[in-house]
Amino acid sequence: DEVTTRTGGAFSVFTPFWRAARPLISDPGRIEPPARLPAPDAWPVSEALDSWGLHPVSPDWSAGFADWTPGEAGARERLGRFLARGLAGYGRARDFPAEPGVSRLSAHLHFGEISPFALWRGALNAVERGAAPETDAEKFLAELGWREFNAAISGRGRDLALTSFDSRFEAVAWRKSPRDLAAWRRGRTGYPIVDAGMRELWTTGWMHNRVRMICASFLAKHLLLDWREGESWFWDTLVDADHASNAGNWQWVAGSGADAAPYFRIFSPMAQGAKFDPDGRYVRKWVPEVARLPDRWLHAPWTAPPLVLDAAGVRLGETYPAPVVDHDFARARALEAYAVVKGR
Ligand SMILES: Cc1cc2nc3c(=O)[nH]c(=O)nc-3n(C[C@H](O)[C@H](O)[C@H](O)COP(=O)(O)OP(=O)(O)OC[C@H]3O[C@@H](n4cnc5c(N)ncnc54)[C@H](O)[C@@H]3O)c2cc1C
């Protein structure tokens, strides 16, 4: 609320918001935990936490969350690792899902297990020590800025998980297709980069930011399904699910958000895959059915000659789905459906 325009209004565009917010941020320094907390003389009768059976057992769907140590110690450890090995080069590496280029601190931040100031301080100290270039650190701090921006936008009254920030987008006629929605949720769209992301999410509770954008765009534009369907699936499956960041980013992708991507910009999953997973390491990890395809066809298996598919053991529609929708057709359909916002 302290970050306002000159006339006292709220920002709706990130860059001026961040320009105004950045100088207002002052690090209070590390606050040590109290040495001891006074305990009550008598504890009320309580239940044993284990008796709540919170840990899933049959099946244990949390098995894939193993790379994850909830709590402050786990958060500090992860921050230390990122500052030592990830911050230098962050500006470039953060877009490549197969590289260890991001901090993976989102859930720790969401649950308050670490303060954003700890990240702030760590990044600026790394620059001072000469351990990371300033440009990389500033990029990282700006991502924390996006977290603040989303929180600021979502604090204005309307529930942005339910309503478009830009109300013109309420006129888009979304399709209803339980079949397409299920294919997207389960990572069976036939577009390997989308399927890889959706499977990473289902298995680990986390998905790389670049791939979140590709998968979200695929739902809202290629499948023309209401972005709220995607938001609610992410809400159910992300370990870092955060009301403001999830809704804000979904609306950013769908075009209806504050400072959103223009609605007519439609990601090509093939081009995104080739650019950000050029050697296919990410796709091969999560979509083993196509792993033996050469790089050239990995992101668009349906374009591979029959002999190449044969040699890689891929039978479209059998071992791996044929595309759930044709790219050019989907693009044209989305542009037409989204055109209703123009006249409003
Ligand atoms: C469709 C979609 C849904 C998303 N849903 C969520 C969500 O529910 N919860 C969530 O925390 N992030 C969400 N994000 C933002 C982003 O993808 C994650 O914060 C990021 O991938 C977390 O990984 P990291 O900690 O390694 O990020 P890093 O790159 O290391 O960034 C550091 C921190 O900055 C913040 N941050 C980075 N990017 C963004 C962003 N675009 N918006 C807001 N904060 C950001 C996060 O707190 C993150 O932990 C979503 C993005 C998209 C495109």
Side-chain angles (χ1 to χ4, degrees):
D1 291 342
E2 292 156 39
V3 187
T4 55
T5 61
R6 272 199 210 114
T7 53
F11 285 103
S12 293
V13 178
F14 176 73
T15 305
F17 165 84
W18 190 233
R19 212 179 289 132
R22 176 79 177 76
L24 297 179
I25 298 172
S26 80
D27 176 7
R30 192 186 148 114
I31 300 166
E32 294 303 326
R36 57 183 294 276
L37 293 170
D41 294 334
W43 289 97
V45 177
S46 185
E47 292 183 27
L49 191 53
D50 282 348
S51 73
W52 286 22
L54 291 172
H55 193 99
V57 274
S58 54
D60 178 5
W61 47 259
S62 71
F65 297 11
D67 180 33
W68 181 249
T69 312
E72 190 178 355
R76 293 211 156 269
E77 203 267 325
R78 189 154 267 185
L79 173 61
R81 222 186 312 157
F82 173 70
L83 293 175
R85 279 180 252 145
L87 184 61
Y90 174 79
R92 189 203 71 86
R94 65 184 288 273
D95 266 325
F96 293 82
E99 291 186 22
V102 292
S103 73
R104 292 178 172 248
L105 280 161
S106 46
H108 293 296
L109 282 164
H110 171 77
F111 288 106
E113 296 167 5
I114 194 161
S115 159
F117 283 120
L119 279 62
W120 191 267
R121 199 176 313 131
L124 293 180
N125 285 346
V127 174
E128 241 169 62
R129 288 198 317 275
E134 194 174 349
T135 44
D136 286 328
E138 282 301 327
K139 184 73 197 152
F140 183 62
L141 301 187
E143 294 308 317
L144 293 175
W146 272 101
R147 179 173 173 270
E148 298 301 324
F149 181 66
N150 283 321
I153 299 290
S154 91
R156 290 198 210 162
R158 273 178 308 154
D159 186 342
L160 293 182
L162 302 177
T163 29
S164 301
F165 184 86
D166 179 341
S167 57
R168 292 177 305 157
F169 284 79
E170 293 299 327
V172 176
W174 306 108
R175 292 169 63 241
K176 285 241 174 286
S177 168
R179 186 197 73 128
D180 289 0
L181 182 60
W184 179 80
R185 285 178 171 178
R186 296 298 162 164
R188 298 194 53 77
T189 67
Y191 286 84
I193 190 80
V194 175
D195 293 343
M198 297 308 292
R199 294 178 193 188
E200 177 180 37
L201 171 62
W202 180 247
T203 309
T204 69
W206 186 86
M207 194 202 298
H208 188 277
N209 180 59
R210 168 58 51 183
V211 194
R212 289 188 203 201
M213 291 196 286
I214 299 170
C215 292
S217 172
F218 192 85
L219 180 100
K221 301 202 170 155
H222 280 73
L223 299 180
L224 201 63
L225 298 176
D226 193 330
W227 60 265
R228 280 160 278 227
E229 298 272 18
E231 195 275 348
S232 94
W233 181 251
F234 272 33
W235 177 255
D236 281 349
T237 50
L238 276 171
V239 179
D240 65 26
D242 179 271
H243 193 89
S245 285
N246 198 29
N249 277 287
W250 267 97
Q251 293 220 32
W252 185 90
V253 173
S256 61
D259 199 6
Y263 71 83
F264 46 82
R265 190 187 298 158
I266 297 179
F267 276 169
S268 152
M270 296 79 76
Q272 290 282 313
K275 185 166 179 193
F276 296 112
D277 188 31
D279 59 7
R281 256 185 302 150
Y282 180 74
V283 158
R284 288 194 173 92
K285 174 169 181 190
W286 293 107
V287 192
E289 305 99 290
V290 295
R292 284 163 54 209
L293 279 175
D295 290 355
R296 179 167 166 204
W297 290 287
L298 184 66
H299 293 290
W302 61 94
T303 61
L307 278 177
V308 172
L309 289 173
D310 259 5
V314 179
R315 286 189 308 282
L316 291 178
E318 289 178 44
T319 60
Y320 181 65
V324 65
V325 67
D326 172 72
H327 171 69
D328 292 332
F329 165 80
R331 194 172 178 282
R333 178 174 70 182
L335 287 174
E336 197 183 323
Y338 267 84
V340 295
V341 306
K342 259 194 298 190
R344 296 192 173 235

